Each structure stands twice: as C-alpha cells, then as structure tokens.
Amino acid sequence: MITYVKPIKPPEQLLMLRSLVRRLPTKNPVIQNVRQKLSHVEAGYTGEKLLGKTFHHLFSDSNRYLIFHNIRLKSGSYFQIDFIVLTAFYALILENKHINGSVHFGTLHQFSRKIGPKIDIFENPLDQCLRQEKLFSNFLETQNFPFTYPVICRVILSSHNTKITASAECREAVFQRVLRLEGLLSEIHALNGRFTEPILTSNQITRLSKTILHQHTPSWKSPLSTFDIKQKTLPGA
C-alpha cells in the first residue's frame, strides 16, 4: 500500500524557469543558457514522473510505503532529495537521473555523459548518495528518531536511452547503488527481505511524516540572480 504524503508536482525551480523563458526577450544574450537549464530541469521532472508510475505497482503490496517528492531539509546546511520512501523497516532515498547517452562512472569520483563527440561532466551520483544518506540520518537523529533506523540511497537512471559503464575502481559501488528504472521494484522487494524487523512504530512513522512536511523548506531562489538578469529588463516589470 502506498500513500503520497507529498505528491509529485513540478518543482519550484522548474516553475520559475518556465516563467522566465516566457518573459525573457528572444534577443537577450542569456536566453540560450536559460533554455538549456530549463531543458535539464524538465528532463529531471520527466524522470520523476516515470518513477511515480513505477510506484503504482506497490498499491497491492502488503507493506506500507509513505512517499515524498522533492523534499528540502536542513542538517547543518540544506539538502534536497528527489524521493523519500518511508517504511517501518527502513527509509529509501531515490536520486533520479534522467540522462540520455552513455554515462561513465570513472576514477577520482568522475561522472560523465557522452552523446556523439560531446562529453559533459556532472556531479557523481554515488557521492550524492553517500552524502544524502549521512545528512538524512543526521536529520533523523536531531529529531530524536532511533539511530538504528536504516537509511538507504539508490540512484535511478530513469531514461531507457542510457548506457552505463564504470571503471574497475567503482564497479562494485555502481552495482550496489545504481539501478535502471525497471529494477526499482526488485530492489524494494530485496530490501523488504533484508530488513524484516520493524524499527519504527505506527505512531513514530506518523510523527516522522509530519516532521518531514513541517521541516520541508521549498527553494524559491530566483533564476534572475543565477543568470544575472535585471528585473527591469523583463517585459511588464
């Protein structure tokens, strides 16, 4: 059984970028940069919606899953999570990557995507996973939840047009933490078999759910500052 505590909706950054592209004059020198950023964020949201469709297969599951989309919490500093799935047995963090082309997990924490001759460098999702596990665990501790409650993070490659390669140095970590979208349900069932003793009571699950919603702080940072655009240059300003 699943419950969308915080349903899947367009993230704040996507809404602001869409609005900016509509208002920005086509001759503005940064319009292409803004459109590229919008395309990147739109792709991420496409992958998140695909993840949501996969969750629907858990409706008939006997376990209870509480799902949160696009959560931003504070543990020293703010951190953003694409999805949190809460159960009585464990918390599952999902980091969505909707990337077409060939992706490579390399040495020295490098992560790249190649399409044709073009190579783009991104932050390594494995590093993001480890950081999110630690930050969310710290967050739970500050909210007085049991330190024995397992927190697991997985990277989901949600595009069917992604080819994965990895260096020998990080192949084991990729095998353990990186999944294609179609492998998510099998991974959840594997975690259910691995964690069989409930850590949180029903009341604690409810309290944690309310705590996450209460502590969630949306990011409304204006893209105007990101792209050094003056408000007065926009039509209707």
Side-chain angles (χ1 to χ4, degrees):
M1 178 180 69
I2 69 172
T3 301
Y4 280 99
V5 182
K6 187 173 182 294
I8 300 173
K9 293 182 179 180
E12 298 82 15
Q13 186 183 26
L14 178 56
L15 296 175
M16 289 187 291
L17 285 168
R18 285 174 176 173
S19 176
L20 180 58
V21 166
R22 286 194 298 267
R23 298 182 64 193
L24 199 62
T26 55
K27 293 184 179 180
N28 191 295
V30 300
I31 184 67
Q32 289 304 320
N33 292 337
V34 177
R35 285 174 174 167
Q36 287 177 3
K37 181 63 176 179
L38 174 60
S39 177
H40 175 74
V41 179
E42 289 275 16
Y45 182 53
T46 295
E48 288 162 11
K49 289 187 289 185
L50 290 172
L51 263 171
K53 292 181 179 180
T54 302
F55 288 138
H56 290 170
H57 294 285
L58 296 172
F59 269 118
S60 60
D61 199 299
S62 59
N63 287 335
R64 182 188 181 196
Y65 304 92
L66 302 184
I67 298 175
F68 304 75
H69 172 241
N70 187 31
I71 290 292
R72 185 169 176 261
L73 301 171
K74 189 173 185 179
S75 177
S77 58
Y78 283 103
F79 63 104
Q80 187 271 338
I81 296 176
D82 291 339
F83 285 96
I84 302 174
V85 182
L86 294 183
T87 76
F89 308 88
Y90 59 86
L92 176 61
I93 294 172
L94 298 176
E95 177 69 25
N96 169 65
K97 298 297 178 187
H98 193 75
I99 303 175
N100 294 323
S102 298
V103 299
H104 181 70
F105 293 84
T107 58
L108 302 176
H109 304 272
Q110 295 183 80
F111 177 70
S112 60
R113 185 269 304 275
K114 183 178 181 181
I115 297 182
K118 185 180 179 183
I119 298 178
D120 297 305
I121 306 297
F122 301 98
E123 182 179 5
N124 193 319
L126 295 175
D127 294 335
Q128 290 177 286
C129 246
L130 292 171
R131 183 169 65 250
Q132 289 182 341
E133 281 184 1
K134 181 177 180 179
L135 289 171
F136 190 61
S137 294
N138 290 343
F139 171 81
L140 294 176
E141 184 177 351
T142 62
Q143 302 299 321
N144 298 314
F145 287 96
F147 71 91
T148 54
Y149 186 56
V151 176
I152 300 102
C153 183
R154 295 291 183 263
V155 177
I156 305 298
L157 298 177
S158 53
S159 172
H160 297 297
N161 299 315
T162 306
K163 179 183 178 182
I164 309 168
T165 60
S167 66
E169 177 183 299
C170 59
R171 196 165 295 151
E172 183 177 353
V174 170
F175 179 77
Q176 292 176 348
R177 291 183 176 271
V178 180
L179 306 169
R180 290 189 177 277
L181 180 60
E182 53 269 27
L184 176 58
L185 293 179
S186 295
E187 179 67 10
I188 289 175
H189 292 147
L191 292 173
N192 291 343
R194 176 181 167 190
F195 300 104
T196 57
E197 294 294 329
I199 304 299
L200 299 185
T201 65
S202 179
N203 286 340
Q204 286 176 313
I205 283 281
T206 300
R207 182 168 73 87
L208 177 53
S209 177
K210 291 180 179 179
T211 299
I212 290 173
L213 287 181
H214 179 71
Q215 297 291 336
H216 167 63
T217 305
S219 176
W220 288 105
K221 180 183 178 182
S222 172
L224 296 181
S225 60
T226 302
F227 295 99
D228 195 23
I229 299 170
K230 304 302 181 184
Q231 179 76 34
K232 62 184 180 181
T233 65
L234 297 177

